[in-house]
Amino acid sequence: MSDKLISSSPTPNRLKGDGILILVTLIAAVGWLFSKAALEYVPSFWFIGLRSLIAGVVLGLIVNRSLRTLTREQWIISIKTGLLFGVALLLWVQGLLHSEQVGEASFIMSLVVILIPVVGRIVYGDRISKQVLLPLAMAVGGLGLLTLGDDIQLEKSHIYLLTAAVIFALQFVMTSRHVANIPAIPLTAIQLTTVGIIGCTVAIIAALYHRETLTFDWGLHAWGWILVCALLTSLVRFSLQIYAMKFTTATNAGMILVLEPVWTTLLGVVVLNEVMQLNQWAGCALIFAAIVVFQLIRMRKWS
């Protein structure tokens, strides 16, 4: 098999990689809760800007030598993909800000996995398997169930999150196509720093537009959340994810990362006492099933 996915006795390194990725999904799920809490104290654009800037600068200092070896073209590509990353995160944080359930929001964002081949087809003309149509239809059905209420309509949070998911997919497709020869951690440092600069710039423009006084006097709680999100859910999470990928396969990692919205939903119910309606549970379940089916199709294709 080209992708060593099926094995009767997983190697210790494979188990190590899987264990780290499960930890990554838990950190990511906790990150949704932390971000929701931070938005109670910090304006959304400042939150994304400062969180990403801190993570990017710290990571950049760690891999300073590697950054200096990058070519001009590698820097340009890294910044371009960072710009897309920034736009997607600014939309994501608006969606989270207006969302009543972090679990529902995380399931909508998990659609990035299915959107990637669709975006690849639209932008680069990549061949898309007809088998992808099944999970795509299931995902659309799941979104339909999420919008059911007194009347069927997309909420503001849904629109922000869906748009963010499409741009995240575009960013992923561009990154995978153009930056195969760029070291992963220096690339991440540049992208996060770019996001930070974009977020802070948009925050300043928004403050000037609304004639608000620029202030960072949000209190210790706010800065605590910013630092925790920057260091734990950005720097540590992505560093662990990159490290774990050395010990496992892409398809296996994809199956494990599907756990993120599941943990997020459970934490939202247990920690935040969120109450989801039956149609929302059904919608999340259908989206989860769509992603699992999609991953299984990839495994079968690459085996």
Side-chain angles (χ1 to χ4, degrees):
M1 296 182 181
S2 59
D3 192 353
K4 297 177 182 178
L5 208 57
I6 303 175
S7 174
S8 58
S9 56
T11 65
N13 280 343
R14 163 77 175 275
L15 293 175
K16 178 181 180 180
D18 291 354
I20 294 174
L21 284 174
I22 291 173
L23 176 61
V24 166
T25 62
L26 287 169
I27 293 175
V30 170
W32 279 86
L33 270 64
F34 285 179
S35 298
K36 190 70 172 177
L39 293 175
E40 297 290 331
Y41 302 93
V42 187
S44 58
F45 295 145
W46 279 120
F47 171 66
I48 286 297
L50 292 172
R51 161 188 169 172
S52 302
L53 190 60
I54 292 170
V57 169
V58 171
L59 196 57
L61 291 173
I62 295 173
V63 295
N64 178 49
R65 290 184 180 180
S66 297
L67 286 172
R68 286 183 290 179
T69 64
L70 296 181
T71 65
R72 181 173 179 271
E73 183 180 359
Q74 288 174 323
W75 272 92
I76 291 174
I77 293 173
S78 299
I79 292 172
K80 283 182 178 180
T81 53
L83 289 171
L84 281 175
F85 196 15
V87 173
L89 279 174
L90 290 177
L91 289 167
W92 167 78
V93 78
Q94 289 300 303
L96 180 60
L97 181 66
H98 292 92
S99 179
E100 295 183 2
Q101 285 102 9
V102 294
E104 179 187 86
S106 66
F107 270 102
I108 293 175
M109 286 304 302
S110 69
L111 288 173
V112 171
V113 175
I114 297 176
L115 288 172
I116 287 172
V118 178
V119 171
R121 172 66 179 176
I122 295 172
V123 178
Y124 294 111
D126 294 340
R127 182 177 177 276
I128 182 172
S129 171
K130 292 181 180 180
Q131 293 172 313
V132 175
L133 297 178
L134 172 60
L136 189 60
M138 294 169 66
V140 172
L143 283 172
L145 288 171
L146 288 178
T147 62
L148 288 176
D150 295 333
D151 52 352
I152 300 177
Q153 62 178 3
L154 282 174
E155 298 176 4
K156 183 184 293 186
S157 62
H158 294 160
I159 296 172
Y160 278 126
L161 292 167
L162 281 172
T163 307
V166 171
I167 297 177
F168 269 125
L170 175 60
Q171 189 261 353
F172 183 91
V173 169
M174 288 187 63
T175 299
S176 62
R177 179 169 291 261
H178 295 293
V179 298
N181 297 321
I182 301 179
I185 296 183
L187 167 64
T188 303
I190 295 172
Q191 288 182 334
L192 286 173
T193 303
T194 303
V195 171
I197 294 172
I198 293 173
C200 291
T201 301
V202 172
I204 292 172
I205 293 173
L208 293 176
Y209 178 79
H210 294 290
R211 297 181 180 180
E212 298 173 350
T213 303
L214 290 176
T215 178
F216 301 99
D217 186 21
W218 302 315
L220 291 177
H221 281 293
W223 285 103
W225 285 121
I226 290 173
L227 287 174
V228 168
C229 289
L231 300 178
L232 179 64
T233 62
S234 289
L235 193 152
V236 173
R237 173 198 171 183
F238 288 116
S239 297
L240 284 175
Q241 186 169 321
I242 292 169
Y243 176 70
M245 289 299 294
K246 295 180 180 180
F247 305 110
T248 188
T249 61
T251 47
N252 190 60
M255 289 300 293
I256 294 174
L257 293 175
V258 166
L259 290 172
E260 178 186 334
V262 177
W263 300 141
T264 305
T265 301
L266 294 176
L267 287 173
V269 172
V270 174
V271 178
L272 301 181
N273 296 318
E274 293 182 348
V275 177
M276 294 178 63
Q277 303 300 319
L278 182 59
N279 64 285
Q280 292 174 308
W281 282 111
C284 290
L286 195 51
I287 291 173
F288 177 73
I291 296 170
V292 171
V293 169
F294 176 73
Q295 295 289 6
L296 290 174
I297 288 173
R298 291 175 67 197
M299 292 168 62
R300 183 179 178 182
K301 179 181 178 182
W302 292 349
S303 60

